[in-house]
Structures are given as structure tokens and as C-alpha cells.
Amino acid sequence: MSSSARATCIFLMILLGARPAAGQWIQVGPPGLTSCVVSTSSAVFAGVLGGGVYGSTDKGVSWRNMSAGLTNSNVTALAAIGENVFAGTSGGGVFLSTNSGASWGPVNAYLISWNIGGLTAIGGNLYAGPVNYGVFYSTNNGTTWQPGGKGLASGTVNTYASRDSILFAGTASRGVYRSLDGAKTWAASNSGLPNLSNVVGLAVVRRNLFAATADDGVFRSTDDGASWAPFNTGLPSRRLTCLAAMSPDPGGSSRLVVGSLAGGLSISPDSAAGWVPVDLGISSNSIGSLCVNGSTVYAGAIEGVKVSTDAGIHWGEVGSGLSSSKVTGLALLDGTLYAGTNISGVYASTDRGGSWMHLVEGLTNYEITAMVAGTSTVLAGTTGGSVFSRKNSDSAWTEGGDAFAHNYINALAVGRQVLLAAPSAFGAYYSTDNGVNWRAGAGMIEDLAGTIIVGFEAGTATLYAASDGKGVFRSVDNGRSWTKQNQGLPNLNVHSVILSDSALFAATEQGVCMWADSQWISRNSGLGNQTVSDFSRSGTALLAGTVSGGVYITTDGGLSWRPANQGLPVSTVRKVVTDGVDVYAGTDLGGVCRRPLAEMTATLGVQASGPLPSGFRLLQNFPNPFNPSTTITFTLPSAGIIRLSVFDLLGREVALLAGGRMGAGTHRVEWHPAGASGVYFYRLEVRSEDGREAQFSETRRMIVLR
């Protein structure tokens, strides 16, 4: 079964700060940094340090956050007894779910420490390794815990294994211990192991016992741990994180699989000859956890979870919903949230981040550097210099003209009948044909040669560009020429510009500045001289993401700023977007986080008013075609009586999705059809609040695929 990969857990905890989640931000993915994996007969679960638990019911193809009831999101270990799933956390103890991850509750009675390093189920019993407190075990699904007896009163246990009636414990600094009396007493079993070994995985294959160490590779014992010998032939790295055994066929030969830091995954086909490296096609080449269920193997990596259904011979793509946690771009298009990542391409969510789809069809480069949404299209820039476009209804990305000779795309924007792109150190380019062709504006050599543009803003008649080292530029001719606008700017390293309530703001390495009376003035009260990375706005609310201080908000034009960081897992925020209802923060190592805008403005004691939709709209459902569900979005400029229905080809109503009074705003409804494949139609009808006047009616087509 799975091992807890203590070494990688420590490494990832350091990166994340390893603190319990609290407050109002909710991590919604794609999170990555998978620390542990376990499976039951109905689902597979992945633990994420700082991100809680994600679950998949289709063998890792798609993932959904399943953290309801977890009061600590730093999940370090997972275990399962039947359909009961247990999660060990750093600071919150052990949690139990009896309903396939739908909800969790703590099970910590008599557990001496809530900082859990290892968690394993053996023979119906649960074994936990509280950091520095040896072994605790439970015979009643975690209802109560007992200390594991003499010999392991202190120290940290990472992993457990058993053969016949012998229990083995792999520790973080004292090698292997074994118990012959059901965990009542323990004795060191380290002859042949390096002194003070950090054992991160144990596995049993017939009469052989294997131990994976954090620094010295794998060791094998043929006498139940009495003596050990190295087992490293062919192993590309001895910095290991996890170990598991699998049996491809009933009664067939067993094989071992081991994960490492920077050395990828290796398999020992016959548990005797040595190791064969496996190419998983991931850039980090680091594996943090393993789970085996028959011939199905799950490998947790920084990029997400890789899956093999044939005992490690072939490996599938990283399952959607778990990806790189470094978010490099965010964009909102008609209710769909797009997240660009640094190594895994683009993900999309139609349910506010509850679940994610991996959208990489058509992409030739998965290193996303910039994203922006237009009126009907989202654009993604990459490290290879390409700009890709996609509509919500498209099945793949379309690559624009290659005008940038493989230059890194720093920024993208949509203006009036023009697209803007910033290839690294080559200023600003514009396109008037939706990105098919790109041109450098006149004056680029004079003003922008060698300039690194990192952000754009499109006003009614003026375009603005933020540069790294040369301040702010503006264009009044749709990007054909640019001039500097730096009077009074205290710092020329500008990361973002935005128009909010008719005022222009600049995000610099020394806080926020506002353009007023033909010069820049500082607007940093409550914010200080922090490095501001990005802006977003809604009505009178202006949001700022910072490099070291999380998210700040102002509703008075920057006269006063307030931090809004409760529950935010990391303080480095790269991107911020809002649809007027929710705020989404793209972070380093913490994925995407969500928080209601109204809740944030309430902390200031004011309300931020935002513009209502300008008219009635019924948008195309997404995804389309779809299986098993789709989301329908519509807008109401004023309150009214609505009816949203689904019809088959014969005109028969097969579902009433929404009905009754609804307020003004943007609304989303999800449909899970129970019928067969085919073409369906959905219709939105709106009447006035008194029901007397018909105000709007529209019908659209959608396709169900089974």
C-alpha cells in the first residue's frame, strides 16, 4: 500500500510554511504538491500540503476538492480501511471520512500530538506516527489511540509494513524498528543500514523486506530485518521519497516501484536484479508518494498524479484538477475561470474552482506566461513566443501567427478592435486580426526597444503598458506608437496598470501610485512600500496582489488599504481577477484561491458597488458537447420571474433547471442529464417581477455524449 514519503513532506512543508488553514479564502486548485495518495474500491484520494484532499472516481482522469470538515489543509499522509479514509495532517491530527471524502471529522482521542508524519492501515488497525512521539495505534477506526509500547517512545515514524505477525516501522532518524508482539514492544533492526537512516518507505515481497531511505537508496533484508544489504543497481538517484510493492497478476511475480527527488520513478521487475528508470514525461522528475491497487499504480508528483493501469508499463496524463501549483495567469470568460500554470498548460473551471478540466489540446507549449479574456475569446501566451486563443465552445486551442521568434510572452491585452502582446525585451506588438498577424508599432525602436512590458490596460481611447525598469507607457492609436508617462513615478519597475473609477493606478516595487494632476502620487496608506504584482477591480473596489503580503483591498481610490488574507495559504500572489461576485488569487505554491468580494468589502465597513449586466443574455453552455454535466450561464439587468428549461428534439420538456424570482446579475445553473446521448435545447424565459410582461426569451442547442 502507500507510504508517507516523510522526506518530501518536510521539503514541501518548508516551501508552504506548513500552517493550518483558517478564515475565508478557499483553495480551489489546481493545487499540485501532492504529498500522499491512497485508494479504496470506489475512489482514489490525493493529499496536498496546503490544499486538503482531492478525490477521483475515474482512476485519476478528473479530480474534485473533497475537504469539507478538514480544519487543517496540510495533509501529510492518507490511509484506508475498507471504504473509510483517514487523513493525517501537520497540526490538525487525524481526520476520518466514512462517505468517500464528502465530509471529514477529527479522530484524535488520546493522540499525544496532532502533527502527523506517517499513517498506515495494516490488518484492520491504524498506525500513526506523531512527529517525535513514536508509534500510536487504533483498533477502532481512530475513535481512540494507544501508544505503541516500549522502544519507540520518541522519534518520528514515517512508514509501516508487516509480514505475518511481525510489524516494521521506518523512522526519520533511527532506521528500522520491529515488533513481535503486536506493537507492545519494539527493537532496533538496523544491522547493515547506514547510521541514523531516514527510512521513507517499507515494502514486503514474499520473504524479502525492502527499505527506502532519504539519502542512501534502497536496502533489502532476507531475514525479517535482522540484517540489510544495499539494493541500488540501476537506481538513478538515491534521494528517495517512497516505496511500494505490486503484483500485476494473481500468483504472479511481484515488482517494486520507488520514487525519488529529481530522480523520477524506477521499477524493479523481479525484485531481485535491480532497477529500471521509468519516463513519466514530467519536468520536475520528482515523485512524492505512491499508491498501489492491484495492477493500478498512482504516483504523486509536483505536477499532479500520474496513473498506470498495467503495473507501471504505461502511464497516463496528469489527471485534470491536480496540476502545478504555480499559477502564472488567470482569466474569466462568461463564467468560466481559466488558470495558466508554469509547467502543465491551462485548466478551466465552470463551478468557481470546484472542479477543473485540463485544456491542452492544440497547445504546443505548456509553459503559460500570460492570459487575458476578451469579449468571446481567451488568449494564452507561452515561453516559446506563441499566442494561443480559444472560445468556451472550442475543443482545442488555435495558435496565432509566429511573429515573436520564440520569445517569452510577458503580457497580453484586449483593446478596441486590437490585441496587444509583449514579447520579452521587444516592447509591445499589436494585432488587428485576432492574433493572426502581429506588428510592432511605429516608434517602438525609439521608445520600447529592449523594453520588457509586463502588463497592459485598455481604456476607452488610450492604451497603457507597464514595463520592468522603464515605467509606464501610453498609446492613443491602438498600439501603433507609444510615449512615456512617468512624471513623479518613484519606481520604474511597474508590474501592472489599471483604470479604476476613471483613475489610473500603477503597481510598482514600492507600492501603488495614482495618476493625478499630470503626475504620479503614492497611494500606500495601510499597504506600505510593498511590491505589488497585479490589480483587479469591481465597482469602487480595487484589489492588489503583492509578492510578500497577500491580497489588499481599497474602496476609496487607494486612500486606505486593508489586508484580506485570512486563510490564504501563501503570501506570494501573482494574479488577481474578479467577476464582481468572487475574487480569485493565483499564488506561488498555493494554486488558485477564492473568496467572496462582498465578504472582503465588509471587512472595510463599506460596500463596493459594481455595474449590473447591461442586458439579458443566455450564453452557450460549457462544456459542449459534454458528459456528465454542463453549466448554463445567463444575465439579468433587473430582477424578474425566470424559467430555464431543457427540451428534446421532439419539443418535450425533459428538465426544469431553474424557476421563480431571481435578482439582477450573472447566474449559473449546472445540469446533470439522466437521459441518453443526443441533441437537446435549453430555453430561458424572463417576465417582469409582477409576471405580466414578457421581457426576454432565447433558445440554444447543446449535445450530450455518453
PDB file of all heavy atoms in Angstrom, residues 344-369:
ATOM      1  N   SER A 344       2.150  22.925 -16.746  1.00  0.00           N
ATOM      2  CA  SER A 344       1.111  21.959 -17.126  1.00  0.00           C
ATOM      3  C   SER A 344       0.019  22.552 -17.992  1.00  0.00           C
ATOM      4  O   SER A 344      -1.073  22.011 -18.069  1.00  0.00           O
ATOM      5  CB  SER A 344       0.491  21.343 -15.871  1.00  0.00           C
ATOM      6  OG  SER A 344       1.461  20.649 -15.134  1.00  0.00           O
ATOM      7  N   GLY A 345       0.292  23.670 -18.645  1.00  0.00           N
ATOM      8  CA  GLY A 345      -0.699  24.219 -19.546  1.00  0.00           C
ATOM      9  C   GLY A 345      -1.826  24.941 -18.835  1.00  0.00           C
ATOM     10  O   GLY A 345      -1.620  25.588 -17.811  1.00  0.00           O
ATOM     11  N   VAL A 346      -3.048  24.791 -19.359  1.00  0.00           N
ATOM     12  CA  VAL A 346      -4.204  25.561 -18.903  1.00  0.00           C
ATOM     13  C   VAL A 346      -5.263  24.633 -18.336  1.00  0.00           C
ATOM     14  O   VAL A 346      -5.505  23.543 -18.863  1.00  0.00           O
ATOM     15  CB  VAL A 346      -4.804  26.391 -20.053  1.00  0.00           C
ATOM     16  CG1 VAL A 346      -6.009  27.184 -19.574  1.00  0.00           C
ATOM     17  CG2 VAL A 346      -3.754  27.329 -20.635  1.00  0.00           C
ATOM     18  N   TYR A 347      -5.891  25.086 -17.261  1.00  0.00           N
ATOM     19  CA  TYR A 347      -7.036  24.407 -16.660  1.00  0.00           C
ATOM     20  C   TYR A 347      -8.220  25.361 -16.678  1.00  0.00           C
ATOM     21  O   TYR A 347      -8.044  26.588 -16.658  1.00  0.00           O
ATOM     22  CB  TYR A 347      -6.734  23.978 -15.224  1.00  0.00           C
ATOM     23  CG  TYR A 347      -5.800  22.796 -15.136  1.00  0.00           C
ATOM     24  CD1 TYR A 347      -4.448  22.936 -15.430  1.00  0.00           C
ATOM     25  CD2 TYR A 347      -6.251  21.536 -14.784  1.00  0.00           C
ATOM     26  CE1 TYR A 347      -3.584  21.859 -15.368  1.00  0.00           C
ATOM     27  CE2 TYR A 347      -5.399  20.450 -14.710  1.00  0.00           C
ATOM     28  CZ  TYR A 347      -4.061  20.619 -15.009  1.00  0.00           C
ATOM     29  OH  TYR A 347      -3.211  19.551 -14.950  1.00  0.00           O
ATOM     30  N   ALA A 348      -9.438  24.811 -16.703  1.00  0.00           N
ATOM     31  CA  ALA A 348     -10.646  25.631 -16.715  1.00  0.00           C
ATOM     32  C   ALA A 348     -11.657  25.070 -15.734  1.00  0.00           C
ATOM     33  O   ALA A 348     -11.750  23.857 -15.537  1.00  0.00           O
ATOM     34  CB  ALA A 348     -11.253  25.686 -18.111  1.00  0.00           C
ATOM     35  N   SER A 349     -12.399  25.973 -15.112  1.00  0.00           N
ATOM     36  CA  SER A 349     -13.441  25.582 -14.155  1.00  0.00           C
ATOM     37  C   SER A 349     -14.703  26.377 -14.432  1.00  0.00           C
ATOM     38  O   SER A 349     -14.648  27.590 -14.634  1.00  0.00           O
ATOM     39  CB  SER A 349     -12.971  25.851 -12.720  1.00  0.00           C
ATOM     40  OG  SER A 349     -14.025  25.611 -11.799  1.00  0.00           O
ATOM     41  N   THR A 350     -15.843  25.682 -14.463  1.00  0.00           N
ATOM     42  CA  THR A 350     -17.132  26.345 -14.644  1.00  0.00           C
ATOM     43  C   THR A 350     -17.942  26.377 -13.355  1.00  0.00           C
ATOM     44  O   THR A 350     -19.090  26.817 -13.361  1.00  0.00           O
ATOM     45  CB  THR A 350     -17.955  25.627 -15.734  1.00  0.00           C
ATOM     46  OG1 THR A 350     -18.142  24.262 -15.362  1.00  0.00           O
ATOM     47  CG2 THR A 350     -17.253  25.697 -17.081  1.00  0.00           C
ATOM     48  N   ASP A 351     -17.358  25.898 -12.248  1.00  0.00           N
ATOM     49  CA  ASP A 351     -18.088  25.871 -10.975  1.00  0.00           C
ATOM     50  C   ASP A 351     -17.273  26.556  -9.869  1.00  0.00           C
ATOM     51  O   ASP A 351     -17.156  26.044  -8.776  1.00  0.00           O
ATOM     52  CB  ASP A 351     -18.460  24.444 -10.584  1.00  0.00           C
ATOM     53  CG  ASP A 351     -17.255  23.511 -10.514  1.00  0.00           C
ATOM     54  OD1 ASP A 351     -16.118  23.994 -10.697  1.00  0.00           O
ATOM     55  OD2 ASP A 351     -17.449  22.312 -10.273  1.00  0.00           O
ATOM     56  N   ARG A 352     -16.704  27.721 -10.200  1.00  0.00           N
ATOM     57  CA  ARG A 352     -15.993  28.551  -9.228  1.00  0.00           C
ATOM     58  C   ARG A 352     -14.788  27.830  -8.634  1.00  0.00           C
ATOM     59  O   ARG A 352     -14.437  28.036  -7.495  1.00  0.00           O
ATOM     60  CB  ARG A 352     -16.949  29.008  -8.125  1.00  0.00           C
ATOM     61  CG  ARG A 352     -18.153  29.772  -8.617  1.00  0.00           C
ATOM     62  CD  ARG A 352     -19.202  29.977  -7.541  1.00  0.00           C
ATOM     63  NE  ARG A 352     -18.696  30.802  -6.464  1.00  0.00           N
ATOM     64  CZ  ARG A 352     -18.846  30.515  -5.162  1.00  0.00           C
ATOM     65  NH1 ARG A 352     -19.473  29.391  -4.814  1.00  0.00           N
ATOM     66  NH2 ARG A 352     -18.377  31.327  -4.236  1.00  0.00           N
ATOM     67  N   GLY A 353     -14.171  26.967  -9.405  1.00  0.00           N
ATOM     68  CA  GLY A 353     -12.986  26.267  -8.934  1.00  0.00           C
ATOM     69  C   GLY A 353     -13.274  24.959  -8.237  1.00  0.00           C
ATOM     70  O   GLY A 353     -12.353  24.314  -7.749  1.00  0.00           O
ATOM     71  N   GLY A 354     -14.528  24.537  -8.181  1.00  0.00           N
ATOM     72  CA  GLY A 354     -14.853  23.273  -7.526  1.00  0.00           C
ATOM     73  C   GLY A 354     -14.251  22.078  -8.230  1.00  0.00           C
ATOM     74  O   GLY A 354     -13.819  21.119  -7.600  1.00  0.00           O
ATOM     75  N   SER A 355     -14.208  22.112  -9.564  1.00  0.00           N
ATOM     76  CA  SER A 355     -13.562  21.059 -10.339  1.00  0.00           C
ATOM     77  C   SER A 355     -12.907  21.709 -11.551  1.00  0.00           C
ATOM     78  O   SER A 355     -13.305  22.789 -11.994  1.00  0.00           O
ATOM     79  CB  SER A 355     -14.575  19.992 -10.779  1.00  0.00           C
ATOM     80  OG  SER A 355     -15.605  20.568 -11.564  1.00  0.00           O
ATOM     81  N   TRP A 356     -11.890  21.027 -12.092  1.00  0.00           N
ATOM     82  CA  TRP A 356     -11.095  21.607 -13.174  1.00  0.00           C
ATOM     83  C   TRP A 356     -10.981  20.634 -14.337  1.00  0.00           C
ATOM     84  O   TRP A 356     -10.895  19.426 -14.145  1.00  0.00           O
ATOM     85  CB  TRP A 356      -9.694  21.960 -12.670  1.00  0.00           C
ATOM     86  CG  TRP A 356      -9.690  23.043 -11.649  1.00  0.00           C
ATOM     87  CD1 TRP A 356      -9.911  22.909 -10.302  1.00  0.00           C
ATOM     88  CD2 TRP A 356      -9.481  24.436 -11.880  1.00  0.00           C
ATOM     89  NE1 TRP A 356      -9.845  24.137  -9.686  1.00  0.00           N
ATOM     90  CE2 TRP A 356      -9.576  25.094 -10.631  1.00  0.00           C
ATOM     91  CE3 TRP A 356      -9.199  25.194 -13.021  1.00  0.00           C
ATOM     92  CZ2 TRP A 356      -9.407  26.462 -10.496  1.00  0.00           C
ATOM     93  CZ3 TRP A 356      -9.036  26.564 -12.876  1.00  0.00           C
ATOM     94  CH2 TRP A 356      -9.141  27.191 -11.637  1.00  0.00           C
ATOM     95  N   MET A 357     -10.950  21.187 -15.544  1.00  0.00           N
ATOM     96  CA  MET A 357     -10.713  20.424 -16.761  1.00  0.00           C
ATOM     97  C   MET A 357      -9.358  20.823 -17.329  1.00  0.00           C
ATOM     98  O   MET A 357      -9.025  22.008 -17.372  1.00  0.00           O
ATOM     99  CB  MET A 357     -11.815  20.704 -17.790  1.00  0.00           C
ATOM    100  CG  MET A 357     -13.196  20.263 -17.347  1.00  0.00           C
ATOM    101  SD  MET A 357     -14.514  21.028 -18.332  1.00  0.00           S
ATOM    102  CE  MET A 357     -14.482  22.722 -17.712  1.00  0.00           C
ATOM    103  N   HIS A 358      -8.606  19.848 -17.767  1.00  0.00           N
ATOM    104  CA  HIS A 358      -7.282  20.092 -18.339  1.00  0.00           C
ATOM    105  C   HIS A 358      -7.463  20.395 -19.821  1.00  0.00           C
ATOM    106  O   HIS A 358      -7.826  19.521 -20.600  1.00  0.00           O
ATOM    107  CB  HIS A 358      -6.409  18.861 -18.128  1.00  0.00           C
ATOM    108  CG  HIS A 358      -4.949  19.152 -18.220  1.00  0.00           C
ATOM    109  ND1 HIS A 358      -3.994  18.158 -18.201  1.00  0.00           N
ATOM    110  CD2 HIS A 358      -4.262  20.319 -18.316  1.00  0.00           C
ATOM    111  CE1 HIS A 358      -2.791  18.704 -18.279  1.00  0.00           C
ATOM    112  NE2 HIS A 358      -2.934  19.999 -18.360  1.00  0.00           N
ATOM    113  N   LEU A 359      -7.204  21.633 -20.241  1.00  0.00           N
ATOM    114  CA  LEU A 359      -7.438  22.061 -21.613  1.00  0.00           C
ATOM    115  C   LEU A 359      -6.104  22.329 -22.299  1.00  0.00           C
ATOM    116  O   LEU A 359      -5.604  23.456 -22.299  1.00  0.00           O
ATOM    117  CB  LEU A 359      -8.311  23.324 -21.646  1.00  0.00           C
ATOM    118  CG  LEU A 359      -9.674  23.235 -20.962  1.00  0.00           C
ATOM    119  CD1 LEU A 359     -10.438  24.528 -21.142  1.00  0.00           C
ATOM    120  CD2 LEU A 359     -10.483  22.062 -21.505  1.00  0.00           C
ATOM    121  N   VAL A 360      -5.515  21.299 -22.867  1.00  0.00           N
ATOM    122  CA  VAL A 360      -4.218  21.454 -23.515  1.00  0.00           C
ATOM    123  C   VAL A 360      -4.250  21.066 -24.995  1.00  0.00           C
ATOM    124  O   VAL A 360      -3.220  21.184 -25.670  1.00  0.00           O
ATOM    125  CB  VAL A 360      -3.139  20.613 -22.792  1.00  0.00           C
ATOM    126  CG1 VAL A 360      -2.915  21.133 -21.392  1.00  0.00           C
ATOM    127  CG2 VAL A 360      -3.531  19.139 -22.758  1.00  0.00           C
ATOM    128  N   GLU A 361      -5.413  20.649 -25.512  1.00  0.00           N
ATOM    129  CA  GLU A 361      -5.499  20.278 -26.920  1.00  0.00           C
ATOM    130  C   GLU A 361      -5.142  21.477 -27.791  1.00  0.00           C
ATOM    131  O   GLU A 361      -5.727  22.547 -27.670  1.00  0.00           O
ATOM    132  CB  GLU A 361      -6.906  19.783 -27.260  1.00  0.00           C
ATOM    133  CG  GLU A 361      -7.319  18.513 -26.544  1.00  0.00           C
ATOM    134  CD  GLU A 361      -7.827  18.769 -25.133  1.00  0.00           C
ATOM    135  OE1 GLU A 361      -7.855  19.938 -24.720  1.00  0.00           O
ATOM    136  OE2 GLU A 361      -8.178  17.792 -24.459  1.00  0.00           O
ATOM    137  N   GLY A 362      -4.177  21.294 -28.680  1.00  0.00           N
ATOM    138  CA  GLY A 362      -3.746  22.368 -29.563  1.00  0.00           C
ATOM    139  C   GLY A 362      -2.563  23.157 -29.062  1.00  0.00           C
ATOM    140  O   GLY A 362      -1.915  23.871 -29.833  1.00  0.00           O
ATOM    141  N   LEU A 363      -2.266  23.072 -27.760  1.00  0.00           N
ATOM    142  CA  LEU A 363      -1.103  23.764 -27.224  1.00  0.00           C
ATOM    143  C   LEU A 363       0.173  23.029 -27.612  1.00  0.00           C
ATOM    144  O   LEU A 363       0.271  21.813 -27.438  1.00  0.00           O
ATOM    145  CB  LEU A 363      -1.179  23.862 -25.694  1.00  0.00           C
ATOM    146  CG  LEU A 363      -2.207  24.794 -25.073  1.00  0.00           C
ATOM    147  CD1 LEU A 363      -2.124  24.711 -23.553  1.00  0.00           C
ATOM    148  CD2 LEU A 363      -1.998  26.229 -25.527  1.00  0.00           C
ATOM    149  N   THR A 364       1.156  23.747 -28.106  1.00  0.00           N
ATOM    150  CA  THR A 364       2.464  23.155 -28.396  1.00  0.00           C
ATOM    151  C   THR A 364       3.484  23.499 -27.334  1.00  0.00           C
ATOM    152  O   THR A 364       4.628  23.050 -27.397  1.00  0.00           O
ATOM    153  CB  THR A 364       2.970  23.635 -29.767  1.00  0.00           C
ATOM    154  OG1 THR A 364       3.049  25.072 -29.765  1.00  0.00           O
ATOM    155  CG2 THR A 364       2.025  23.185 -30.880  1.00  0.00           C
ATOM    156  N   ASN A 365       3.072  24.298 -26.350  1.00  0.00           N
ATOM    157  CA  ASN A 365       3.950  24.680 -25.246  1.00  0.00           C
ATOM    158  C   ASN A 365       3.090  24.791 -23.996  1.00  0.00           C
ATOM    159  O   ASN A 365       2.073  25.494 -23.990  1.00  0.00           O
ATOM    160  CB  ASN A 365       4.635  26.019 -25.557  1.00  0.00           C
ATOM    161  CG  ASN A 365       5.678  26.401 -24.519  1.00  0.00           C
ATOM    162  OD1 ASN A 365       5.416  26.388 -23.320  1.00  0.00           O
ATOM    163  ND2 ASN A 365       6.862  26.755 -24.980  1.00  0.00           N
ATOM    164  N   TYR A 366       3.462  24.076 -22.926  1.00  0.00           N
ATOM    165  CA  TYR A 366       2.659  24.043 -21.704  1.00  0.00           C
ATOM    166  C   TYR A 366       3.116  25.062 -20.659  1.00  0.00           C
ATOM    167  O   TYR A 366       2.538  25.136 -19.581  1.00  0.00           O
ATOM    168  CB  TYR A 366       2.701  22.652 -21.079  1.00  0.00           C
ATOM    169  CG  TYR A 366       1.899  21.597 -21.816  1.00  0.00           C
ATOM    170  CD1 TYR A 366       1.308  21.872 -23.053  1.00  0.00           C
ATOM    171  CD2 TYR A 366       1.720  20.335 -21.277  1.00  0.00           C
ATOM    172  CE1 TYR A 366       0.577  20.912 -23.726  1.00  0.00           C
ATOM    173  CE2 TYR A 366       0.985  19.360 -21.944  1.00  0.00           C
ATOM    174  CZ  TYR A 366       0.422  19.653 -23.173  1.00  0.00           C
ATOM    175  OH  TYR A 366      -0.316  18.694 -23.838  1.00  0.00           O
ATOM    176  N   GLU A 367       4.145  25.844 -20.957  1.00  0.00           N
ATOM    177  CA  GLU A 367       4.625  26.850 -20.004  1.00  0.00           C
ATOM    178  C   GLU A 367       3.894  28.164 -20.273  1.00  0.00           C
ATOM    179  O   GLU A 367       4.293  28.972 -21.101  1.00  0.00           O
ATOM    180  CB  GLU A 367       6.135  27.036 -20.137  1.00  0.00           C
ATOM    181  CG  GLU A 367       6.931  25.794 -19.771  1.00  0.00           C
ATOM    182  CD  GLU A 367       8.421  26.008 -19.940  1.00  0.00           C
ATOM    183  OE1 GLU A 367       9.032  26.652 -19.063  1.00  0.00           O
ATOM    184  OE2 GLU A 367       8.965  25.540 -20.952  1.00  0.00           O
ATOM    185  N   ILE A 368       2.791  28.368 -19.555  1.00  0.00           N
ATOM    186  CA  ILE A 368       1.940  29.540 -19.770  1.00  0.00           C
ATOM    187  C   ILE A 368       2.523  30.733 -19.000  1.00  0.00           C
ATOM    188  O   ILE A 368       2.843  30.622 -17.810  1.00  0.00           O
ATOM    189  CB  ILE A 368       0.498  29.263 -19.321  1.00  0.00           C
ATOM    190  CG1 ILE A 368      -0.035  27.983 -20.000  1.00  0.00           C
ATOM    191  CG2 ILE A 368      -0.394  30.454 -19.623  1.00  0.00           C
ATOM    192  CD1 ILE A 368      -0.052  28.035 -21.501  1.00  0.00           C
ATOM    193  N   THR A 369       2.643  31.863 -19.683  1.00  0.00           N
ATOM    194  CA  THR A 369       3.246  33.049 -19.067  1.00  0.00           C
ATOM    195  C   THR A 369       2.273  34.203 -18.905  1.00  0.00           C
ATOM    196  O   THR A 369       2.517  35.101 -18.096  1.00  0.00           O
ATOM    197  CB  THR A 369       4.435  33.524 -19.917  1.00  0.00           C
ATOM    198  OG1 THR A 369       3.979  33.743 -21.262  1.00  0.00           O
ATOM    199  CG2 THR A 369       5.538  32.484 -19.926  1.00  0.00           C
TER     200      THR A 369
END
